[in-house]
Amino acid sequence: MKQQNNALETQALNLYYGSTQALIEVDIQIPKNKVTALIGPSGCGKSTLLRCFNRMNDLIPDCSISGSILYHGEEITGRSTDVVELRKRIGMVFQQPNPFPKSIYENVIYGPRVHGIKDRKELDAIAEKSLKGAAIWEEVKDRLHDAARGLSGGQQQRLCIARTLSVGPDIILMDEPCSALDPIATAKIENLITELKEEYTVVIVTHNMQQAARVSDYTGLMYMGRLIEFDTTPVIFERPKEELTENYITGRFG
Amino acid sequence: MQKNRIESQTIDLFTRQNKEKTISCIWLGTALVAVITIILILGFLFKEGLPAIIEIGIPEFIFNEIWRPTSENPSYGIYSLIIGSILVTIGAIAIAVPLGVGSAIFISEVAPPQFREAVKPAIELLAGIPSVVYGFFGLIVLTNWLRILLDLSSGATWLAGSIILGIMALPTIVSISEDAISSVPKDFRSASLALGATRWQTITGVLIPSALSGITAAIILGLGRAIGETMAVLMVTGNAAVIPDPIYNVLSPIRTLTATLGIEMGEVAIGSTHYHALFGMALVLLLITLFVNLSATYILARIREGQTGSSRTPLFSHEQRKQIRSIIILSILVASGWISFQIVGFHGIAILAAILTLGYVGSRFLSRQSKEKIAFGCVTIATALVLFALVAIIFDIVSNGLPAITWEFLTESPRNLGREGGIFPAIVGTIYLVIGAIAIALPIGVGAAIYLNEYTLEGRLTRIIRAGNDLLNGTPSIVFGLFGFAFLVIFVGLGVSLLAGQITLALMVLPTIIRTSEEALKSVPDSLRHGSLALGATRWHTISKVVLPAAAPGILTGTILSIGRAAGETAPLLFTAVVFSKRFLPGTVFEPVMALPYHLFILATNVPGADTQKYGTALVLLALVTGIYAVAILMRRHAQKTVRW
Amino acid sequence: MTRSFSIRSSPAFLAGAVVLLLAAALVSGCVGSDPSVEQRSISVTGSTTVLPIAQIAADTYMDKHPNDEILVSGGGSSVGVKAVGEGTADIGMASRDLKSSEMEQYPGLVEHVVAVDGIALIVNPENSISSLTLDQIKAIYKGEITNWKDVGGSDRQIVVVGRDSASGTREFFYEAVMQKEEFVRTQQELNSNGAVKQTVAQTPDAIGYVGLGYIDTSVKAVNINMDGVLVEPTIDNVENKAYPIARSLHMYTKGPETGLAKDFLEFLMSAEGQQIVSNEGFVPII
């Protein structure tokens, strides 16, 4: 029954880049319809873990893993897993806003289109819904056919979120989505994240502990490839069990 | 005291600014070289071509289809030659673009990295095969093969010309497109894949559109070589000055403007109407090239605007674009139907219909993964075909040339018209010519690219420089030869000399170096420049220490392609630098030299009984170019390994 | 991630540039020339048809006179005329007569006939035809006869192969065989004797014309039927005027020849020089 509440779960996950081990025996349960933050110093493996969930690590030539990753209780590390379908269900937002060099509209409907939707009306509807979902509709609705790269950084990042929403995922992975943005744009994205958890499970990697504290329901601290502690956000920030966690969130290292 | 200090600082600042200004002026100067050259060439062609155009009259000259310049009742109509040039080029595009872009996709996106390391240089090597060799391969192997395969009375056809030109354009198209595709930011790939797109969807939906400007530049450059190509075409198309009947008959012999120039320019009587008409023809050829390049540039600019977001309305609305696309697809279908009917009769139509049905069924019912497999299969086949052409031509040269290679052949001067003895002076002459040409063209070309990309904003001046450059790229090599003869040899007074040849070759390869260097500079992210400038570095310091090293691999690609072209060219040297035989190596740059391609050309055309030496010369030329390539490729690899961001 | 690439990679780039520059310097300061005194040098350029004669003659001459250098190059008859007229070459070679426009532009040119070139009709060895009349040849090249069966061969389309419009060989063929009537427009036009031979050798139904020196076993030379007498294209037959299709080859000097040019032309006209002419498959003039 526990599986019902976990959108993602790893068991004894190890990951190697060639001969260096980047993840060591990671066990984590990501609850459904919650925001889970992964924090930790640079190089601790938090982004690597995030990229395991949608198998983006497949793109790195000498990357290998052992252990298991369950998506709604289903093993996704095997060769038989349909990676394309998996990535459709588990969306990802990157550190740098990376809209394609196309129009705003073309960016949003890129996903549905590759998944075979051709009907113009349906695409229009998806575009509007996704842009509204990413709280950018009002700003761009009159210039949908302008180039996406003409938008501001914060707008570009929300467009990327809209692009992710357009294929109808149930999980959204965010890899430091605000690190390239100013405080106002960051605040907008943070509000958006809070709204998104109504419908989606969100996993966010962040360097910014205040951000983790503000937006997340659960927080995991990673260090040197291990998951040190994982609990609800208030527990992590107020009564951490591990000394390492306390040292990190109080700023004594990292 | 205080005041003094401020003064000295201002002076310091002032001189630094002066230095920057001087540097900027130098680059502007280099950028103008291409423009000045093309103006000189145009002026020269105009001066020599005008008498004929006045005498014949423009309508008669352009629209009469009978070219009979040396008959009793001469007729100087070049219509059929214009049509011939256009048709051969279209055919070459139809062959080279799918194969070239397909291979580029395969090499950069599908194949494992080790394969890329091995295959990319190999394909670039194709650019180093002298056009005379392509011509001979075409004449001896390809036309014969077409004749037997299609049961024709003669294989010298439009089709053969297009195949040879297509193969010649391939190395440039593959190499530069591959650079463009692999320089698309990794982020785009990740984003598309993270949306659940397959790799193939990512390639067609994101990578190719993003790399479109680079790919278009590649196609323009590749075809520039093809359009200006003389030696290869004139050996394989049959050169009958007729318009194919019907117009889509790819098995008709055909004659192009360049072939006519290449064949007739050497023998025509100076000062006759025929002579002036040939210059008029060269002018027409350049104007056609100019038109094609300007349209390509215009379309390219619109594509870029669409990507970077300037607010002009798109060229066509969404619906119009859809209509245009369906019209184009329909006409391609009809055309390919006719062509296959022409070649293999009703079976052709049946096969085409079967392929189309399969394709339609496939697009409707196949899963995306299966489509991806099929698409990857196709690009693999494209690469295999390109490699097959490479292997076939190289095998032809090596197997026929190896028996000629002896120590004597490599180290002695030719005797008995090159039937005996060796080709040592020609080897040395070619090395001198190529190195001199690159030493002249590289600084000028890179300087021009720096000026275009770093020192100025897009405006009228850059457009003029680019147009001049494209025009120079499309100028037939034979015209460079004539220009070199008239301008450097006679007007400047260099005489037939090594230096005149080096300069002529340098001018010929300049467009390739400028174009590829510019693309390379463009692919260096602005954040690097800003990072350096923000540290207080001057613009020149930023360029020389940050931008140029990062762009080095791309610049080297351009240089490699240029070396190949410079080493293998005959036409520009014909009147400017070469002699058939010379006992001593040149003592100064003002003496003429021997050169391998020219030696090969004379052996092939006017010395009976030198077949082995002919192939031996081709093999040595190929090996020499390979050697120079190897150095450049190693440099590029080193640069690529140390430059990462 | 902007690592310290600039420092690490610029040596490679610099090294490359240095290699290029060094090599360029080599070009200008290169060694190899003969130190002897009183070296004379002339350049001979022009028709690629005449080039073999000039080159072998130059080699032989230079073997005897090591202080003289004769540089031979080919670019075409017009290049020869222009180069000698403009003074960039000492001797110009041409496989055709001077045109009126050239005489106007370069009035001082002096003509020297150095050899005669016989033109042979060739067909593929598989072709059963072994002789043709001049009228038949003319009809084939005019496009009036398009099938080998009309001249006694098998029922196959004739592939007509000729030379380019500017070729001296074609011009001569046009005057001597075609009597200034037009060639069929579908004839293939190739730019050299070698290419014509190659095409005829691999195309079963082709006919072409080349200089006598090019005839070998890969093609079959056609005898000319002169009112029932079959004349074989050989040097002897051209020399005794039995063979009808032959033209003279020229060298031009600007004004009367002097110095090395004079010595060289004299050598060419000598018995030894004319022996070279016939060795190369051309017909001597003495």
Side-chain angles (χ1 to χ4, degrees), chain C residues 119 134 138 169-181 183 244-247:
Chain C
I119 310 288
L134 284 175
K138 182 176 164 188
T169 316
R170 164 162 158 163
E171 188 178 323
F172 178 74
F173 195 83
Y174 177 70
E175 285 164 8
V177 180
M178 303 300 287
Q179 278 132 10
K180 304 201 173 184
E181 289 184 53
F183 289 100
I245 318 170
R247 53 147 177 191

Side-chain angles (χ1 to χ4, degrees), chain B residues 284-557:
Chain B
V284 169
L285 179 61
L286 264 193
L287 291 178
I288 294 175
T289 314
L290 177 66
F291 174 75
V292 171
N293 276 326
L294 285 183
S295 348
T297 315
Y298 178 74
I299 293 168
L300 204 61
R302 300 314 288 259
I303 293 171
R304 281 200 183 123
E305 271 167 26
Q307 288 181 347
T308 51
S310 69
S311 50
R312 271 160 78 181
T313 47
L315 202 51
F316 299 105
S317 75
H318 191 80
E319 276 67 30
Q320 276 172 319
R321 259 182 284 177
K322 246 184 186 162
Q323 281 172 355
I324 291 171
R325 196 180 306 161
S326 44
I327 290 170
I328 291 175
I329 290 175
L330 200 69
S331 43
I332 289 177
L333 276 184
V334 171
S336 49
W338 264 114
I339 290 169
S340 38
F341 177 68
Q342 283 296 322
I343 300 180
V344 270
F346 283 104
H347 297 295
I349 299 230
I351 292 167
L352 192 75
I355 292 173
L356 285 179
T357 323
L358 265 179
Y360 178 75
V361 170
S363 71
R364 284 305 289 265
F365 300 110
L366 281 179
S367 71
R368 292 187 285 151
Q369 282 80 355
S370 321
K371 274 190 217 165
E372 174 171 271
K373 274 187 193 129
I374 291 169
F376 281 3
C378 287
V379 295
T380 313
I381 290 169
T383 315
L385 278 175
V386 173
L387 288 176
F388 172 75
L390 172 80
V391 170
I393 294 174
I394 290 186
F395 178 78
D396 186 51
I397 299 173
V398 172
S399 64
N400 287 303
L402 218 47
I405 307 294
T406 56
W407 183 245
E408 186 201 6
F409 189 68
L410 296 176
T411 55
E412 287 189 11
S413 297
R415 286 195 312 278
N416 190 12
L417 288 182
R419 291 179 196 124
E420 294 162 39
I423 53 169
F424 180 66
I427 298 176
V428 176
T430 295
I431 293 177
Y432 285 176
L433 282 166
V434 169
I435 289 175
I438 296 294
I440 296 166
L442 193 62
I444 296 178
V446 175
I450 289 175
Y451 182 78
L452 284 173
N453 202 52
E454 308 287 331
Y455 278 92
T456 182
L457 296 170
E458 291 300 307
R460 188 171 294 159
L461 184 64
T462 59
R463 273 204 297 277
I464 291 173
I465 293 174
R466 283 211 181 84
N469 195 38
D470 289 343
L471 209 51
L472 206 56
N473 183 46
T475 305
S477 47
I478 187 91
V479 172
F480 278 105
L482 289 164
F483 172 73
F485 182 69
F487 184 70
L488 298 170
V489 175
I490 294 176
F491 183 75
V492 179
L494 292 177
V496 175
S497 63
L498 179 56
L499 187 61
Q502 288 170 333
I503 296 174
T504 310
L505 283 181
L507 293 177
M508 195 187 70
V509 299
L510 191 58
T512 311
I513 293 189
I514 295 180
R515 197 73 190 240
T516 45
S517 305
E518 215 198 323
E519 288 295 328
L521 291 174
K522 235 177 239 159
S523 70
V524 177
D526 271 342
S527 52
L528 286 188
R529 292 185 184 86
H530 298 165
S532 166
L533 290 172
L535 290 170
T538 61
R539 200 192 286 212
W540 169 237
H541 199 259
T542 304
I543 291 165
S544 60
K545 290 288 178 331
V546 178
V547 180
L548 274 184
I555 294 174
L556 282 171
T557 301

Side-chain angles (χ1 to χ4, degrees), chain B residues 14 22 32 82 95 105 115 117 134 183 232 240 279-280 316 412 436 452 519-520 543 614:
Chain B
F14 181 70
T22 318
L32 289 177
I82 295 177
I95 290 163
I105 291 171
F115 182 82
E117 300 266 300
Y134 277 110
S183 69
F279 279 93
F316 299 105
E412 287 189 11
L452 284 173
E519 288 295 328
I543 291 165
K614 181 174 89 190

Side-chain angles (χ1 to χ4, degrees), chain A residues 39-107:
Chain A
I39 58 174
S42 292
C44 68
K46 54 193 190 303
S47 288
T48 303
L49 178 60
L50 195 71
R51 295 168 74 90
C52 284
F53 295 140
N54 66 346
R55 299 263 307 257
M56 288 300 273
N57 286 328
D58 288 11
L59 302 175
I60 298 163
D62 53 353
C63 173
S64 58
I65 65 170
S66 70
S68 65
I69 306 172
L70 303 177
Y71 166 71
H72 294 299
E74 204 181 314
E75 179 65 48
I76 57 167
T77 53
R79 280 182 67 89
S80 61
T81 306
D82 181 350
V83 180
V84 163
E85 187 58 30
L86 179 75
R87 289 180 188 150
K88 184 180 163 187
R89 302 229 208 116
I90 307 180
M92 187 167 212
V93 177
F94 297 83
Q95 184 172 5
Q96 287 285 338
N98 57 352
F100 302 131
K102 297 167 183 274
S103 71
I104 295 169
Y105 179 78
E106 292 281 336
N107 262 283

